[in-house]
Amino acid sequence: MTQPLTIVVLSSGLENFKEIRTALSADSRAQLLAGGNDAEQLHEEIVRLKPACAIISLGANSDQGIRFIQRLTAESPRTALISAAYDASSDLVLGSLRAGAREFLRLPASADELKTVLDRVSDFCSVQVEAPKKKGRMIAVFSSKGGCGTSFVATNLAACSEARTVLVDLNLQAGDLPLFLGVDPKYSFADMAENRTRLDEALVKSFVTPYSSNLSLLAAPKEADAADEIEPEHVFDVLQRLRESYEYVVLDPQHTFDSITLAALDQSDEIVLVLTLDIPAIRSTQRALEIFDRLGYPRKKIRIVVNRWSKQIDLDLRQVEKFLGEPVVGFIPSDYQTAVTSINLGQPLVRSDAGCKISQEIRRIARTIAIGAVHVAEEETPKRSFWNALFKRDASLILSEPGA
Ligand SMILES: Nc1ncnc2c1ncn2[C@@H]1O[C@H](COP(=O)(O)OP(=O)(O)OP(=O)(O)O)[C@@H](O)[C@H]1O
Ligand SMILES: [Mg+2]
């Protein structure tokens, strides 16, 4: 069976469009999706519809057409671009090929020439058939109360990984993870969000800041203005893209249930819920668990970790677990001097002092929740429909107490 080829045509006028359309109608593979001479409108259509090919007619203002090809080459790499013109001067053909066109179609198009060009587009498309997308595991380290040590735990869990891992600072307004890793990022989440429709491997790599050969940071924007522009949908897209490039994506979200944090938690395979053993933090954790229940998160998605644990804390752990209705999977000892020194030096403790008690326990937790194993199990695609529904509704409806 012949593979249909979806096509968008940017013509240089009505007559020119009719002519190309007639030529295409003679080839049974051609499916014309959109056409006309409004370059801006067609640009949007091409990015949205991702046709197999776009025919760009170079009229009197051929420079404009060449710039259009350049732009599409960068933004729609999976669409084969075909330049077309009545004037087949070698300068024009070469110029359009250099700008990124795959083929040149001489106008008026003869049936033979059109067939040859579409054959080549067809070959290009068969090479483009996507390999199934890789999907790394996403772990959010979350606390509904500030100051419990989530950034410290997230950084150190990520640093335990032996596989390709990216740590993502989702405190978009006031992220401080560069300090935890002693790095000075040039680019941030805002750059990734702005370029989200064209994030290939090289671009992803250029926006993250490497810490070591297998750990990188996607920093929060330095300016609050840039953070304001980031929408939950952008967060969703960027995180999905990161999962294709990294085996582990470790998130450090805010301590609130705002829509960006919900976008991140919803997408995560696992949530490490961090608390300290004091009454306000325990209450806040219980409320977070109630919210997770209301959001429909399975309890197995949540792993409770106590940070700053000490034997001196006069609280019966069994009572705490009973109150929360969940077991605690890890107890990171309290050692302020050691923790704060590692932060001040910008070195994750699990790497700078692997033998200390905090590091040992964080490594044990990483093994328990399988962060860092090089093999990644295939999992289901997240239910975007649920996520979409969440943000179409007012998040506060979901988060408000039932019956309130
Ligand atoms: N296990 C620990 N023992 C002692 N101090 C710790 C421990 N873990 C973290 N801390 C200290 O707690 C402080 C807060 O840590 P961190 O910034 O990671 O918390 P956070 O929950 O991310 O806070 P924020 O509300 O700023 O996001 C830091 O000074 C850190 O050194
Ligand atoms: Mg923090």
Side-chain angles (χ1 to χ4, degrees):
M1 208 182 94
T2 47
Q3 180 83 10
L5 292 173
T6 49
I7 300 173
V8 169
V9 174
L10 173 66
S11 64
S12 54
L14 187 60
E15 281 313 307
N16 172 241
F17 177 67
K18 283 185 186 161
E19 194 182 302
I20 296 175
R21 190 178 56 185
T22 309
L24 289 174
S25 64
D27 193 303
S28 61
R29 291 169 294 180
Q31 274 185 11
L32 186 59
L33 300 182
N37 55 3
D38 183 337
E40 274 315 304
Q41 193 192 343
L42 285 176
H43 171 263
E44 270 179 36
E45 293 292 287
I46 292 167
V47 172
R48 189 174 66 83
L49 299 169
K50 300 184 179 60
C53 83
I55 299 177
I56 293 132
S57 197
L58 304 172
N61 195 345
S62 59
D63 283 357
Q64 236 173 27
I66 301 260
R67 280 199 297 278
F68 190 68
I69 292 173
Q70 265 167 345
R71 192 171 158 203
L72 282 177
T73 303
E75 293 176 15
S76 294
R78 291 187 179 277
T79 295
L81 305 177
I82 298 164
S83 55
Y86 297 95
D87 159 28
S89 76
S90 55
D91 276 358
L92 194 67
V93 176
L94 212 61
S96 68
L97 295 182
R98 282 193 181 134
R102 300 207 154 254
E103 292 293 330
F104 182 86
L105 182 65
R106 194 197 316 263
L107 295 175
S110 74
D112 271 1
E113 208 164 328
L114 184 68
K115 181 180 175 307
T116 308
V117 167
L118 292 186
D119 283 349
R120 294 209 180 129
V121 170
S122 192
D123 290 347
F124 171 75
C125 291
S126 57
V127 175
Q128 293 290 305
V129 171
E130 283 183 46
K133 279 186 182 157
K134 231 178 52 168
K135 190 166 153 276
R137 214 159 131 234
M138 193 168 341
I139 297 126
V141 182
F142 177 76
S143 171
S144 49
K145 191 174 162 292
C148 291
T150 42
S151 298
F152 176 75
V153 176
T155 306
N156 280 283
L157 280 175
C160 287
S161 173
E162 280 161 17
R164 269 170 59 75
T165 301
V166 63
L167 176 65
V168 183
D169 197 339
L170 283 175
N171 286 281
L172 296 176
Q173 296 285 349
D176 52 6
L177 289 188
L179 300 174
F180 285 70
L181 291 175
V183 292
D184 184 14
K186 260 208 203 128
Y187 298 102
S188 77
F189 202 105
D191 301 291
M192 197 83 116
E194 200 182 318
N195 291 283
R196 67 194 175 284
T197 55
R198 58 185 201 104
L199 286 174
D200 60 13
E201 202 63 31
L203 209 51
V204 168
K205 211 171 158 207
S206 72
F207 288 144
V208 300
T209 310
Y211 170 75
S212 64
S213 59
N214 57 358
L215 176 62
S216 296
L217 170 71
L218 179 56
K222 284 186 182 154
E223 286 94 28
D225 284 1
D228 284 342
E229 309 269 300
I230 300 172
E231 301 289 336
E233 292 87 329
H234 307 166
V235 173
F236 186 97
D237 291 344
V238 168
L239 295 183
Q240 284 307 309
R241 184 62 194 79
L242 287 175
R243 306 178 90 142
E244 289 164 26
S245 295
Y246 293 88
E247 289 182 56
Y248 292 89
V249 180
V250 178
L251 311 178
D252 179 16
Q254 300 212 105
H255 309 297
T256 52
F257 289 99
D258 60 284
S259 48
I260 285 186
T261 304
L262 286 172
L265 295 178
D266 196 44
Q267 261 170 300
S268 298
D269 300 301
E270 232 148 16
I271 299 172
V272 175
L273 188 54
V274 180
L275 77 152
T276 45
L277 283 186
D278 52 85
I279 302 295
I282 295 168
R283 284 242 162 87
S284 172
T285 304
Q286 189 213 26
R287 183 163 157 67
L289 285 167
E290 281 171 17
I291 291 171
F292 292 157
D293 286 345
R294 250 177 278 151
L295 289 167
Y297 297 173
R299 278 290 173 107
K300 67 173 193 263
K301 174 167 168 168
I302 294 144
R303 308 295 195 112
I304 299 181
V305 166
V306 166
N307 188 26
R308 295 177 144 198
W309 181 72
S310 132
K311 282 184 185 145
Q312 271 105 55
I313 296 175
D314 193 20
L315 266 174
D316 181 350
L317 189 68
R318 291 232 175 89
Q319 292 285 5
V320 175
E321 289 185 324
K322 210 169 147 202
F323 180 71
L324 296 176
E326 279 299 307
V328 173
V329 303
F331 296 88
I332 302 168
S334 183
D335 181 348
Y336 183 75
Q337 203 51 49
T338 303
V340 90
T341 305
S342 83
I343 298 170
N344 288 346
L345 291 175
Q347 290 170 358
L349 195 59
V350 292
R351 298 213 180 173
S352 62
D353 186 357
C356 77
K357 285 188 174 155
I358 294 184
S359 298
Q360 285 181 18
E361 179 61 0
I362 293 182
R363 284 200 178 278
R364 196 192 61 76
I365 296 167
R367 281 194 301 275
T368 307
I369 58 179
I371 292 186
V374 175
H375 169 73
V376 178
E378 281 297 319
E379 286 171 31
E380 276 176 31
T381 326
K383 298 178 190 74
R384 182 161 192 157
S385 53
F386 170 68
W387 186 85
N388 276 341
L390 181 65
F391 292 104
K392 280 189 184 132
R393 279 183 273 155
D394 181 352
S396 63
L397 287 179
I398 291 163
L399 303 179
S400 59
E401 301 286 349

